[in-house]
Amino acid sequence: KIRLILIVASVIIGIIYATPNFFNTSEQSQSFNFLPGKKINLGLDLQGGSYLLLKADMDVVFAEKLDSLLSDIRSSLRKSKIGYKKLSIQNDIISFEKRGETSNEKIKSIIFSLDKNLILENKLDSFFIKFSDINKKNITKTTMAQAIEIVRRRIDETGTNEPSIQQQGIDRIIVQLPGLDDPSRIKKLLGKTAKLTFQLAHPTISPDDLDINSKAPPGYVKLQEDKNPDRFYMINKRVMVSGEMLKDASPTFDRNNSPSVSFQLSPLGGKKFGRVTGKHIGRAFAIVLDGKVVSAPVIQTQIFSTGQITGAFSVQETNDLALVLRSGALPAPLNIIEERTVGPDLGQDSINAGMIALLIGFILVILYIFVKYKIFGVITNIALILNLFILVGVLTIFEATL
């Protein structure tokens, strides 16, 4: 009896959950209010939607990693009290000349302690370092894994149903978005690297003193304002606090009831933020996003873990900015190299063809089993039909993609 009850209950639940897939939403809402209402998600080929092919700009990543390696080499040589000069990067090669009588082998061992896969050449007192193919392969692999994870986070937060995100080749990512005919918002979200930094502005040079021809003094860089390309800021190259220390970000409104983004830093970030703001009260502190100044408020008082990013934002822009900051910065800029939109007609044709094939195949199987096995064939056919309903019901419960 228990087994019979379990079988009947399973069949009834399967039929109840499968039934909404065979009716339109409007019809269901009027006549079948008792049904759960869920349906199997149709994939890109059936429902239609958007297809994006993204390419990671690995040249930017290699350049950043090379800059980081240069800093590590400088730090290691100073720590070992080894004199050097002309430390620089040209044509993707780090070069420098040693000072003093330090042996070349000792310098080589210091550099290889940073990364044993580096290619190092030595000519007299000159050293030349570059990435090997193994370095580039490892950097690319790590970068793509991070990029896919962040792309997934950004798309999931928009509420898009069952996106398909996967790597293609060495440096490309395929994004399939079923049911999304206009992916303009997704493209904007994926087009932002979202590299956030907090840097001090020049104490005496204001934006009113700058134009497109102005030159930056040593240690500073001239950056455009995000909303006004004709306005420039003189920003210290040193990053005081980076977006990696960001713990959370959310859309909100400032004192003037204008859309803004509130952020919260990690304990380490809050400590650094408090130290910087406490030491530079009265100085402009620029918020730089992807190489452009979002705003540069003057530090009025010491600030620790929380702050606000203000600017000429719309509500949608603050939602999207908070989203990309929460998901983290992309390790590499992503360029859209292919975009396709699949119309819904193709999807409906596929569904109709699939239903016809299902009916013909099902009827032929049922007739054959009935003719061959008589009464046992009838029992088997009933089980086969119920099995189909249970299968569709289970797929519907898990909101699987067909």
Side-chain angles (χ1 to χ4, degrees), residues 82-124:
I82 296 173
Y84 64 89
K85 61 181 179 179
K86 298 181 181 178
L87 180 61
S88 62
I89 299 174
Q90 284 187 343
N91 301 323
D92 298 330
I93 297 174
I94 298 174
S95 62
F96 68 91
E97 296 177 15
K98 74 171 185 178
R99 283 177 173 169
E101 300 301 323
T102 307
S103 69
N104 291 347
E105 292 305 316
K106 183 178 181 181
I107 294 175
K108 287 180 181 180
S109 66
I110 290 171
I111 292 171
F112 281 127
S113 69
L114 298 173
D115 191 333
K116 63 181 180 180
N117 295 315
L118 294 169
I119 294 175
L120 191 156
E121 294 179 6
N122 169 226
K123 294 178 182 178
L124 298 177

Side-chain angles (χ1 to χ4, degrees), residues 8-66:
V8 172
S10 300
V11 169
I12 292 172
I13 292 171
I15 292 173
I16 288 173
Y17 274 94
T19 304
N21 291 283
F22 303 101
F23 298 97
N24 293 328
T25 306
S26 57
E27 293 175 0
Q28 179 188 332
S29 61
Q30 293 171 8
S31 308
F32 303 94
N33 293 326
F34 62 93
L35 296 175
K38 287 184 179 180
K39 290 188 177 184
I40 294 175
N41 292 313
L42 299 182
L44 189 68
D45 51 345
L46 297 176
Q47 187 179 180
S50 295
Y51 167 101
L52 300 173
L53 181 60
L54 311 171
K55 187 176 187 299
D57 192 344
M58 292 307 302
D59 290 338
V60 173
V61 180
F62 292 144
E64 288 178 353
K65 295 293 184 182
L66 212 57

Side-chain angles (χ1 to χ4, degrees), residues 188 192 224-231 233 259 289 292-295 310-318 321:
K188 286 180 182 177
K192 280 184 178 291
Q224 282 182 324
E225 189 175 86
D226 185 42
K227 294 290 183 178
N228 185 2
D230 296 325
R231 187 175 172 84
Y233 290 83
L289 182 67
K292 293 187 177 180
V293 178
V294 176
S295 62
T310 58
F313 297 124
S314 65
V315 173
Q316 184 65 62
E317 285 174 333
T318 57
L321 178 56

Side-chain angles (χ1 to χ4, degrees), residues 106-280:
K106 183 178 181 181
I107 294 175
K108 287 180 181 180
S109 66
I110 290 171
I111 292 171
F112 281 127
S113 69
L114 298 173
D115 191 333
K116 63 181 180 180
N117 295 315
L118 294 169
I119 294 175
L120 191 156
E121 294 179 6
N122 169 226
K123 294 178 182 178
L124 298 177
D125 291 340
S126 298
F127 294 82
F128 304 91
I129 304 120
K130 63 181 180 179
F131 286 137
S132 65
D133 290 339
I134 295 175
N135 287 125
K136 291 183 178 181
K137 185 178 179 180
N138 290 338
I139 291 170
T140 301
K141 184 179 179 181
T142 304
T143 299
M144 293 306 295
Q146 291 175 344
I148 289 172
E149 179 60 30
I150 291 169
V151 165
R152 191 181 305 280
R153 278 189 226 157
R154 292 185 183 182
I155 292 177
D156 284 348
E157 286 210 37
T158 65
T160 304
N161 281 331
E162 293 293 332
S164 172
I165 303 162
Q166 55 188 344
Q167 185 172 345
Q168 183 189 66
I170 297 173
D171 58 357
R172 298 185 178 192
I173 300 173
I174 293 175
V175 179
Q176 295 182 346
L177 305 164
L180 194 68
D181 296 328
D182 181 17
S184 55
R185 185 188 176 202
I186 299 292
K187 284 159 62 179
K188 286 180 182 177
L189 292 177
L190 300 183
K192 280 184 178 291
T193 307
K195 189 173 182 180
L196 181 73
T197 58
F198 296 87
Q199 295 163 253
L200 290 166
H202 198 283
T204 57
I205 302 175
S206 72
D208 297 330
D209 302 327
L210 299 172
D211 58 34
I212 197 168
N213 298 315
S214 300
K215 301 294 182 183
Y220 285 83
V221 61
K222 187 178 68 174
L223 298 180
Q224 282 182 324
E225 189 175 86
D226 185 42
K227 294 290 183 178
N228 185 2
D230 296 325
R231 187 175 172 84
F232 300 90
Y233 290 83
M234 202 62 75
I235 305 298
N236 194 309
K237 288 182 179 180
R238 185 184 175 191
V239 174
M240 308 307 288
V241 180
S242 67
E244 295 169 358
M245 298 176 179
L246 198 72
K247 186 178 178 182
D248 193 19
S250 58
T252 183
F253 293 89
D254 60 17
R255 294 177 182 176
N256 300 320
N257 209 29
S258 299
S260 62
V261 174
S262 291
F263 63 85
Q264 185 175 359
L265 297 169
S266 65
L268 177 61
K271 189 175 179 180
K272 288 186 71 175
F273 205 69
R275 187 166 62 245
V276 173
T277 53
K279 194 183 292 184
H280 297 93

